[in-house]
Amino acid sequence: MAKPEQVVIIGCGAIGASIAYKLSQSASLQVTVLEANSQAGQGATGASLGVLMAACSQKATGDLVTLRLASLRLYEQLIPQLERQTGLSIPNCAGILCLSQKIGSESKWQSLIGKRQQQGFDLQFFDRDHVRSKYPFLSAQSALYSPSDRALHPSMLVQALVKAATLNGAKFIYDRKVDRLADIPDADKIVITAGLGSDRLRQSLDLDLDLDRPSNLLAPVGGQAILVELPDVSLNAVIHAEAANGEDINIVPLGFDRYWIGATVEFEPDTLPRTSNISLLLDKAIEFCPAFAKAKIIETWAGYRPRPVSQRSPILGFLPSHPNVSIATGHYRNGVLMAPITAEIINDLILKGESDRPWQGFALKS
């Protein structure tokens, strides 16, 4: 029997763990994951609310939409598969209710409903009167309900992916920071999934590079969220709400009268978390659900999401001139949503050198 190829994945958030799980299913590969932190999912994944918003996303067509919808479908099999294999439960909440305070949004949403029906997804439009009748504790000019979209617990997802990959023979090494790709010479293939640290690793292929200079590929976008407790409000679906000024917010029911509310989008983030963001997030929630004026703050947290600066999000594929190194990063606010489809693409590229999925438009520019 041929010796398995050694594949090293750098980074163990939702993307890295998903790729490790997918690759670990191949007998021709030996997978090792190196994570700089003491446990998995501590970067952008740890700051995520786990909202999987694809069918109700306002952009109707394009290769990114195709990937997002495909990834949403993959979750329908992935979640029960992981739960059966690991015995772990992955908390998730099916259905997203999109609320809008903008007047005259019906024609836009009806167009989206028609497009999604062609793509196999059912969306339902509610006018203001229907919202008031069906959801008397909510306030909005209109709403769109997507039963296919959902939210899941990001940390529990990563935990299940790691356990399942481990059962398949993958190895996970924590507290293992990688400064240069040359530090892992025994790898046949390398996959970079290190979030904001990905560009530093890419640049390390240039041995003359000053690694202290800032990244020119990815920028950190800050995000802060809060956990609140609010009894006597029965929110069974995830709320994605868009204010009249275009700012949005997510409210994720966790059960037991608890909700996640988030997240801010801060392109010039200072030290996070910020106290002022707590009232900002609560005010946004109260605009759509006045009952949140009585919510009790339980916890606040923040993190930084990697957003590509000079090209599209996400960044997928091989590094130019280094076919043994692939990269999957820069998913920005869609890392958890796109984790399964990203794993499919990287798996195809490593095993076959190509993928039928439309990934080429996200390849790293030379």
Side-chain angles (χ1 to χ4, degrees), residues 105-123:
S105 59
E106 179 174 0
S107 60
K108 177 189 68 176
W109 272 348
Q110 291 293 358
S111 175
L112 180 63
I113 289 172
K115 178 59 67 175
R116 290 291 183 259
Q117 285 178 340
Q118 297 174 13
Q119 297 164 330
F121 293 90
D122 177 41
L123 300 178

Side-chain angles (χ1 to χ4, degrees), residues 4 12 15 33 59 101 182 190 232 239 270 272 321 350 356:
C12 194
I15 300 298
V33 182
K59 189 171 183 180
Q101 295 292 25
I190 296 174
D232 304 323
I239 302 295
D270 55 10
L272 293 176
S321 74
I350 286 179
D356 294 334

Side-chain angles (χ1 to χ4, degrees), residues 14 41 43-53 75 91-93 96 150-157 223-228 238-241 248-254 259-264 281 299-303 305 332-337:
T45 300
S48 171
L49 301 188
V51 177
L52 312 181
M53 194 172 75
Y75 267 116
N92 68 99
C93 178
I96 292 183
R150 66 177 62 226
L152 53 78
H153 198 294
S155 296
M156 293 301 297
L157 170 67
Q224 185 167 332
I226 56 177
L227 170 66
V228 305
V238 178
I239 302 295
H240 175 78
D248 62 2
I249 188 174
N250 292 316
I251 303 173
V252 180
L254 303 174
Y259 301 86
W260 279 337
I261 303 177
T264 60
L281 290 168
E299 182 182 350
T300 179
W301 72 99
R305 296 156 291 196
Y332 188 30
R333 301 177 76 184
N334 295 304
V336 177
L337 167 60

Side-chain angles (χ1 to χ4, degrees), residues 176-253:
R176 175 68 164 85
K177 183 180 179 182
V178 178
D179 291 318
R180 293 181 180 273
L181 295 185
D183 293 343
I184 44 177
D186 296 332
D188 297 306
K189 302 284 179 64
I190 296 174
V191 185
I192 301 173
T193 68
L196 288 167
S198 297
D199 197 31
R200 179 186 178 90
L201 291 169
R202 175 187 71 96
Q203 292 173 329
S204 76
L205 292 170
D206 181 355
L207 298 181
D208 297 325
L209 178 69
D210 178 5
L211 291 180
D212 290 330
R213 78 180 186 183
S215 166
N216 58 9
L217 180 66
L218 298 165
V221 178
Q224 185 167 332
I226 56 177
L227 170 66
V228 305
E229 185 176 73
L230 178 65
D232 304 323
V233 175
S234 299
L235 284 181
N236 298 317
V238 178
I239 302 295
H240 175 78
E242 183 179 1
N245 63 2
E247 295 183 353
D248 62 2
I249 188 174
N250 292 316
I251 303 173
V252 180

Side-chain angles (χ1 to χ4, degrees), residues 128-143:
R128 183 180 180 184
D129 291 339
H130 188 98
V131 173
R132 286 181 172 179
S133 174
K134 189 174 180 66
Y135 306 98
F137 46 85
L138 297 178
S139 174
Q141 294 295 326
S142 60

